[in-house]
Amino acid sequence: MLLLIIWELGFRVFQWGWKFPSPLQTFQAFYDGFTQGHLLNAIVASLRRLLISFAISIGLGTILGYLFARYRYFDETFGFVVVALQTVPSIAWLPFAIIWFGLNDTSVIFITTIGATWTMSMASRTGILNISPIHLRAAQMLGTGSGYRLFFQVQLPAAFPHWITGIRVAWAFAWRALVAGELIAKGVGLGQMLQDGRGLGDTASILCVVIIIAVIGTISDHFCFKQLEDKIVLRFQLKK
């Protein structure tokens, strides 16, 4: 409540005008957005793209991480490339995505997937490499072999603490990449609403989208990924 009062006073004293909305203007934008449906449609569309991209990045990242941990030559060659690609913002690939796929959902999904895959691959690699060789040899002696059974029955569960941490970080990177891609690509989405708000000078709508992105990101991280991470940490007794 105090923050709202300070916000309203700042709006009136400094006469922000259209450059930054007042609390009342922001609440009105929320009301109009949800009652008219376009804000809810944008949220659903963005979450659909995000979940598709996130599922792809988890799968690709886990496979790459396993290959990096299993094959030293692959790790020293392509693994080095992945480390370098981590430093490149995913939005830098948007021109290629537009050339290859056009201004559509596929481009946004491609950008978002890239934003999370490299983080997942490094987290999976670290988790698998940290497994004790004694445990791997014991599992092999009990009949898991050295192929997919060893991976699914031993390596993947043992790498869960690092894996889930990688998921949390990848989720944050995916969110950023998604909104950046939607700013340029066509179609319904939170990023496109930011772009439309900028074009119309509708700062109340822009602030609504920013708040929604922050709220969804915080809720998903705290009530989903953090809870899962705490359970895994407790399961593996990594802290008291």
Side-chain angles (χ1 to χ4, degrees), residues 190-206:
L190 293 174
Q192 189 59 47
M193 284 195 67
L194 287 175
Q195 184 73 348
D196 294 341
R198 181 200 64 81
L200 297 172
D202 187 0
T203 54
S205 295
I206 294 174

Side-chain angles (χ1 to χ4, degrees), residues 4 7 22-33 204 208:
L4 293 177
W7 181 1
S22 68
L24 183 59
Q25 291 172 335
T26 305
F27 294 147
Q28 185 64 45
F30 269 116
Y31 178 79
D32 294 339
C208 283

Side-chain angles (χ1 to χ4, degrees), residues 90-103:
S90 55
I91 193 62
W93 295 97
L94 186 59
F96 283 109
I98 295 174
I99 293 173
W100 296 337
F101 309 113
L103 290 169

Side-chain angles (χ1 to χ4, degrees), residues 94-218:
L94 186 59
F96 283 109
I98 295 174
I99 293 173
W100 296 337
F101 309 113
L103 290 169
N104 50 39
D105 279 9
T106 306
S107 293
V108 178
I109 291 173
F110 174 77
I111 292 299
T112 309
T113 301
I114 286 181
T117 297
W118 310 138
T119 299
M120 276 304 308
S121 64
M122 290 295 100
S124 301
R125 171 189 178 275
T126 302
I128 294 174
L129 286 177
N130 282 343
I131 300 173
S132 172
I134 297 177
H135 294 160
L136 294 179
R137 287 197 292 268
Q140 290 171 342
M141 291 180 62
L142 293 173
T144 61
S146 58
Y148 72 94
R149 290 184 60 190
L150 179 67
F151 174 70
F152 285 106
Q153 294 179 6
V154 180
Q155 291 178 311
L156 187 58
F160 265 177
H162 289 88
W163 191 71
I164 193 62
T165 301
I167 285 181
R168 288 186 68 183
V169 178
W171 177 261
F173 275 98
W175 252 123
R176 298 171 189 173
L178 173 76
V179 176
E182 287 182 341
L183 280 170
I184 300 176
K186 295 180 180 179
V188 179
L190 293 174
Q192 189 59 47
M193 284 195 67
L194 287 175
Q195 184 73 348
D196 294 341
R198 181 200 64 81
L200 297 172
D202 187 0
T203 54
S205 295
I206 294 174
L207 185 58
C208 283
V209 174
V210 172
I211 292 173
I212 288 172
I213 292 172
V215 169
I216 294 177
T218 302

